[in-house]
Amino acid sequence: MPTQSVGFVIASVSETLARGVCEVVSPMAPDVVVRPCSCHDEGLARAIELLADACSAVASEIGTGAHIVILADFGPTKLAAHQLITQWGDGNVTLGRGPLVEGARAGAIAAAQGGDAATVVHAIAAAAESVSATDVPTPGTSAPEDDPYAPRIVTVVDAEGLKARPAAMLARLASDFDATISVNGADATSVLALMGLKVGCGDEIRIDADGPEARMALEALADAVGAGLTRTNN
């Protein structure tokens, strides 16, 4: 039975990727529970169910006092994680914001050393600084390599553009960050403001952010828009 109270769910649309990350990380922290979760292209509701099952399984494996950290790869999977955390609302599940492989490694090692949830989440976020500036950026996004806080220019791929449903999803995601975020100058947390931009499929938008979690907000929103906010619901 693992002695650490923090366990991990590695969430990806690819079962191979999720399992691969676990296989890389687990030997570095063998007493820490690290389990994969494949959120297939079956819609947001199903992705949330799969994540909930995986988190429950990890919590059961750890036992009393378990705290689960989810690391997710792309926008739709991250959105499912945000939704699950909001639905549960018990504070026992957290989304780790950092690079998938490096973040999982850093977080698992921190947990193996006895770190609590806050320490683990900080280790995951700090792992982003170790990623080379020459890494390939997310398709459809752009930002100067020397300025991670620069605005992101993203092409909207949703067929609906930023109409009601995708606008609501984007606003919900933006509201999760301690940052002031705007899309083309409009408040990113306001569904009506986003809809008022009249953005269509194929249009480019500019995402700006300022505040303590600005960098993470920029990455998360750019990933979500570039991957398609509603694509997994079709």
Side-chain angles (χ1 to χ4, degrees):
M1 175 70 67
T3 58
Q4 276 70 37
S5 62
V6 180
F8 299 83
V9 170
I10 309 300
S12 172
V13 294
S14 166
E15 181 176 0
T16 301
L17 176 58
R19 291 187 178 278
V21 173
C22 292
E23 289 175 3
V24 169
V25 171
S26 292
M28 302 176 185
D31 291 330
V32 177
V33 179
V34 184
R35 299 290 179 262
C37 177
S38 176
C39 297
H40 303 289
D41 189 10
E42 300 175 16
L44 181 61
R46 178 58 177 156
I48 294 172
E49 289 178 3
L50 291 167
L51 275 173
D53 290 344
C55 289
S56 296
V58 170
S60 296
E61 192 170 349
I62 294 175
T64 304
H67 189 104
I68 312 304
V69 176
I70 301 173
L71 285 103
D73 53 2
F74 299 120
T77 309
K78 288 181 180 178
L79 184 58
H82 279 293
Q83 291 278 53
L84 174 64
I85 292 168
T86 299
Q87 287 180 13
W88 282 12
D90 58 7
N92 292 325
V93 182
T94 304
L95 178 63
R97 298 187 175 106
L100 191 63
V101 179
E102 294 87 348
R105 174 183 178 276
I109 291 174
Q113 293 172 344
D116 59 10
T119 300
V120 167
V121 170
H122 177 75
I124 293 170
E129 303 301 325
S130 68
V131 178
S132 172
T134 61
D135 284 351
V136 178
T138 303
T141 69
S142 62
E145 292 181 353
D146 59 349
D147 185 4
Y149 295 93
R152 303 302 201 261
I153 307 300
V154 194
T155 299
V156 175
V157 299
D158 286 280
E160 302 175 49
L162 285 184
K163 290 186 179 178
R165 187 165 60 129
M169 294 173 122
L170 187 59
R172 190 179 302 117
L173 180 59
S175 66
D176 286 328
F177 294 95
D178 183 10
T180 301
I181 311 169
S182 65
V183 173
N184 290 357
D187 181 3
T189 64
S190 169
V191 178
L192 292 178
L194 292 174
M195 292 175 62
L197 295 173
K198 300 187 184 302
V199 172
C201 180
D203 291 345
E204 287 188 342
I205 61 172
R206 170 179 167 137
I207 304 173
D208 292 88
D210 182 54
E213 295 185 336
R215 178 175 182 173
M216 292 183 288
L218 287 167
E219 292 174 352
L221 268 67
D223 282 351
V225 173
L229 289 159
T230 62
R231 183 166 293 179
T232 57
N233 282 339
N234 295 333

